[in-house]
Amino acid sequence: MGDQLSKDISSLKGCNKSKDTILICEVWSEATYVKHHKKKIVFIFSAMRHFAKELNESGYKVSYTKIEDKHNSGFFKSEIARALKQQKYDQIVVTHPGEYRLEKDIKSWETEFKISVEIRADDRFLCSPEDFAIWAKDRKQLRMEYFYREMRKKYNVLMEGNQPIGGQWNYDLKNRKPPQKNLLIPEPYHNELDSITRDVMSLVAEHFPEHFGDIEPFYFGVTRHQALEALNLFVSQRLPNFGDYQDAMIEGEPWMYHSHISFYLNCGLLLPLECVKAVEKAYQNGKAPLNAVEGFIRQIIGWREYVRGVYWLKMPEYAKQNFFEAKRDLPELYWTAETEMNCLRQCILDTKKNAYAHHIQRLMVLGNFALIAGLDTSQVNEWFLIVYADAYEWVELPNVSGMILFADGGYLASKPYAAGGSYINKMSDYCKNCSYKVSKKQGKDACPFNYLYWDFLARNRHKLELNHRISMMYKIYERMDEDKKQAIAYDSKHFLKAIYD
Ligand code: FAD
Ligand code: DLZ
Ligand code: SF4
């Protein structure tokens, strides 16, 4: 599958190159079950085609279905049926997929085709769903920090015996520098287009014209070699500043000091432990400070594995959760970027152009707005699954439903990441080019994040006031005079109506 592009994927282990066939298919169903960003489709198809070529060159027999092939039947299942008609096979071997809907599909193959189907664990991840379930057992709420510490010990990363290097497990408090003027931010990785990628770009333009997003410029790596180049570039150029500016946002600087490797990791061109080791080595060689290195490693062996654990533990119920009963339709502005709110506009424009936005843009602007405006949980999830080149349900859903929308009522995160305009103003330069005034709390030109934040708290008081990480805010709300409370409700109501005009 398109996110299994690793030569040491479990389904290839023990493969008999002279007898076995590797089936890889571009199928209409995968490309359209949500209307993925055009750049995401280009990336995946091009990476799949390059991967198939490399397998061929290493002596594997590959049967590859292109999206435009006349006989392409459009689904994994019907492509398998077609392959089974063409030749007799003894068995299907497949690595466990990244999405629940496909696990269900694969589980039906054995009965459907009357052939043995072996589903192998995806051992590219560092914590199996079974091990995660053992860790999570009997815990009512999970906390990433404790899981992360176990992973540090298990993989002996940044450890001095049994203790964390530097004496602390987590240096997050150091990783919150606001953006500075005149930061030198290196150019992101740029790959030269070859004929495979160019062909894919034309066919995506032709076949998926109504999908969101820009195809050009296309600069992602599409082979393992290129993904490793991108990783090395990150380690040598960006990593030293990764920690300090991890939460900072600057207009026109979508890449900041982040690594931009999630799309490679998630489709299999990079493996998590090799990224962790490369970054740990930079620390050992004195090339990057501990706050940067620890912060980065925590994202990979902590958050990435943690959200996957939650996904497989809690599906399929997890996708239906909607703690706040949020039902407001996703406004068109999430597609058009037509809004006077500069922070949202910039983050959506970055997303449209690059199929990428960094974590704080996703969390504190796009996600935060969806949370405090009460946008429909399923529609918000669908948007996030569509627009990012790194989005697969196992990682998108827990981040969106769990981390940002608090739709699981606090199973994954201890409190909703709701914030007013002052957070965005502190961590970005967006507010200076905005039609709204971040310093204003009420009235037509007040920053909508300011009143929506309080309105969100007031609307959901019965669900949140017992949360000790948020109860302080209710005390502040209580002390507001009645006029102010009414102004918050009035401004919110009018604003939330106007975004659909
Ligand atoms: P960096 O900031 O350089 O981080 C390094 C790596 O750590 C990433 O490549 C990624 O593999 C991992 N990582 C960091 N944070 C997380 C996290 N919260 N969950 C899982 N892995 C993490 N990440 C995805 O890979 N796919 C998604 O669909 C996705 N959707 C998100 C939606 C929301 C609302 C939020 C708040 C976060 C989402 N993330 C998602 C997590 C994170 O934003 C991206 O992994 C990150 O922005 C990718 O850019 P990067 O490679 O430059 O990451
Ligand atoms: C995202 C994607 C797209 C757009 N197209 C394909 C495809 O045609 N064939 C394929 O094998 N995989 C594709 N993918 C990735 C799959 O959707 C991904 O493998 C599943 O969601 C499981 O995580
Ligand atoms: Fe965003 Fe408010 Fe700042 Fe405008 S003023 S950029 S809406 S936070």
Side-chain angles (χ1 to χ4, degrees):
M1 287 165 191
D3 58 354
Q4 301 186 339
L5 310 180
S6 319
K7 271 199 180 155
D8 42 12
I9 189 92
S10 58
S11 52
L12 286 183
K13 299 229 164 93
C15 172
N16 182 334
K17 286 186 181 176
S18 59
K19 279 178 65 191
D20 299 339
T21 301
I22 319 297
L23 182 62
I24 306 182
C25 355
E26 294 167 11
V27 281
W28 196 253
S29 58
E30 287 307 299
T32 58
Y33 76 96
V34 293
K35 289 182 161 192
H36 304 283
H37 192 300
K38 291 194 195 88
K39 200 180 289 271
K40 178 179 180 184
I41 306 181
V42 171
F43 170 61
I44 298 203
F45 283 4
S46 178
M48 284 170 71
R49 289 181 184 197
H50 281 91
F51 184 68
K53 186 165 166 270
E54 282 176 17
L55 285 181
N56 248 320
E57 286 163 0
S58 334
Y60 289 95
K61 211 161 66 171
V62 179
S63 164
Y64 193 97
T65 313
K66 290 184 171 173
I67 196 85
E68 70 271 33
D69 286 351
K70 227 175 49 221
H71 301 292
N72 188 336
S73 58
F75 299 87
F76 284 140
K77 207 183 223 173
S78 48
E79 277 305 282
I80 291 176
R82 207 156 67 84
L84 291 174
K85 267 197 196 138
Q86 282 161 7
Q87 199 184 313
K88 182 163 171 10
Y89 292 98
D90 303 324
Q91 191 189 25
I92 297 172
V93 177
V94 63
T95 292
H96 191 264
E99 302 199 348
Y100 182 83
R101 68 191 167 86
L102 284 174
E103 184 195 65
K104 235 171 101 185
D105 189 48
I106 293 170
K107 282 184 173 161
S108 73
W109 293 355
E110 196 156 84
T111 327
E112 182 107 358
F113 298 126
K114 301 189 176 50
I115 183 173
S116 138
V117 177
E118 185 186 343
I119 306 175
R120 294 186 180 165
D122 191 344
D123 55 15
R124 296 172 301 173
F125 288 92
L126 304 174
C127 179
S128 68
E130 294 75 23
D131 284 350
F132 190 84
I134 293 170
W135 177 79
K137 195 167 172 280
D138 301 330
R139 294 174 199 245
K140 247 170 107 188
Q141 288 186 319
L142 305 183
R143 288 299 160 256
M144 198 290 293
E145 181 63 27
Y146 300 115
F147 170 77
Y148 164 60
R149 292 179 190 180
E150 295 300 315
M151 295 295 281
R152 285 267 294 273
K153 288 188 219 157
K154 180 171 169 193
Y155 287 93
N156 194 25
V157 182
L158 292 180
M159 296 297 292
E160 245 162 7
N162 224 357
Q163 292 306 310
I165 284 187
Q168 253 173 265
W169 289 102
N170 183 317
Y171 290 86
D172 215 17
L173 282 176
K174 287 198 166 176
N175 291 356
R176 292 175 188 172
K177 278 206 181 136
Q180 316 279 314
K181 277 206 180 101
N182 308 324
L183 277 178
L184 279 178
I185 300 170
E187 282 292 301
Y189 176 75
H190 256 91
N191 178 37
E192 293 297 316
L193 300 180
D194 64 6
S195 61
I196 296 182
T197 304
R198 266 196 227 103
D199 283 352
V200 171
M201 287 163 78
S202 313
L203 78 87
V204 170
E206 188 189 341
H207 291 282
F208 305 94
E210 81 287 11
H211 286 217
F212 173 75
D214 302 345
I215 293 178
E216 293 189 76
F218 188 86
Y219 31 65
F220 294 166
V222 286
T223 64
R224 167 146 174 88
H225 176 74
Q226 291 158 4
L228 281 169
E229 281 180 346
L231 170 66
N232 291 335
L233 205 69
F234 162 67
V235 174
S236 61
Q237 298 193 346
R238 304 178 116 80
L239 175 63
N241 279 321
F242 173 85
D244 285 358
Y245 299 109
Q246 198 179 347
D247 289 0
M249 300 174 278
I250 299 181
E251 188 165 331
E253 294 287 358
W255 308 102
M256 293 299 292
Y257 296 100
H258 291 268
S259 64
H260 332 132
I261 59 164
S262 50
F263 18 89
Y264 306 129
L265 268 172
N266 294 354
C267 79
L269 294 181
L270 289 178
L271 298 173
L273 211 48
E274 71 188 346
C275 300
V276 167
K277 289 290 168 195
V279 166
E280 189 181 27
K281 194 164 146 216
Y283 171 70
Q284 286 159 348
N285 293 340
K287 299 271 166 45
L290 187 54
N291 67 311
V293 168
E294 186 281 316
F296 179 84
I297 286 174
R298 178 163 17 95
Q299 308 310 314
I300 306 254
I301 66 174
W303 279 111
R304 187 170 187 270
E305 297 290 331
Y306 177 75
V307 299
R308 178 177 184 257
V310 169
Y311 179 79
W312 286 111
L313 191 63
K314 291 289 169 187
M315 281 300 278
E317 301 77 29
Y318 206 77
K320 295 184 201 115
Q321 305 225 55
N322 189 357
F323 181 67
F324 294 126
E325 297 163 74
K327 306 200 224 332
R328 202 178 299 281
D329 281 339
L330 187 86
E332 269 299 294
L333 68 90
Y334 269 80
W335 303 110
T336 60
E338 283 169 16
T339 166
E340 295 297 312
M341 303 172 81
N342 192 40
C343 53
L344 270 184
R345 183 169 63 233
Q346 296 306 326
C347 293
I348 293 164
L349 288 174
D350 287 347
T351 300
K352 178 170 173 289
K353 182 171 172 199
N354 301 319
Y356 174 86
H358 67 71
H359 187 66
I360 293 299
Q361 294 178 303
R362 299 188 203 193
L363 186 71
M364 298 311 294
V365 178
L366 298 157
N368 179 21
F369 183 80
L371 170 73
I372 62 182
L375 303 186
D376 180 275
T377 308
S378 306
Q379 293 180 32
V380 176
N381 269 294
E382 183 171 282
W383 187 84
F384 274 98
L385 191 55
I386 285 174
V387 302
Y388 294 116
D390 56 26
Y392 302 88
E393 199 184 60
W394 67 265
V395 55
E396 173 279 323
L397 178 69
N399 269 297
V400 173
S401 269
M403 194 182 300
I404 185 61
L405 297 182
F406 207 71
D408 62 2
Y411 185 68
L412 181 145
S414 55
K415 76 171 182 71
Y417 280 89
S422 59
Y423 176 87
I424 295 172
N425 189 35
K426 183 172 151 220
M427 296 313 296
S428 80
D429 64 353
Y430 293 141
C431 300
K432 70 177 175 9
N433 292 332
C434 187
S435 313
Y436 295 105
K437 293 196 172 56
V438 71
S439 54
K440 280 198 74 178
K441 311 283 182 225
Q442 283 150 32
K444 265 198 162 152
D445 59 349
C447 166
F449 278 94
N450 289 341
Y451 46 77
L452 288 176
Y453 170 78
W454 288 112
D455 191 55
F456 161 75
L457 288 185
R459 280 195 322 264
N460 295 297
R461 183 169 191 149
H462 55 299
K463 302 203 170 178
L464 283 177
E465 72 183 336
L466 291 179
N467 182 321
H468 71 278
R469 294 199 61 195
I470 232 162
S471 52
M472 178 66 193
M473 301 317 291
Y474 283 104
K475 294 202 177 101
I476 298 176
Y477 182 75
E478 248 347 281
R479 286 200 292 269
M480 286 179 192
D481 58 45
E482 218 31 58
D483 286 356
K484 195 165 174 189
K485 286 183 188 162
Q486 276 180 17
I488 287 168
Y490 179 89
D491 286 341
S492 299
K493 191 168 159 222
H494 284 264
F495 175 83
L496 289 173
K497 189 168 170 288
I499 52 173
Y500 299 98
D501 291 344

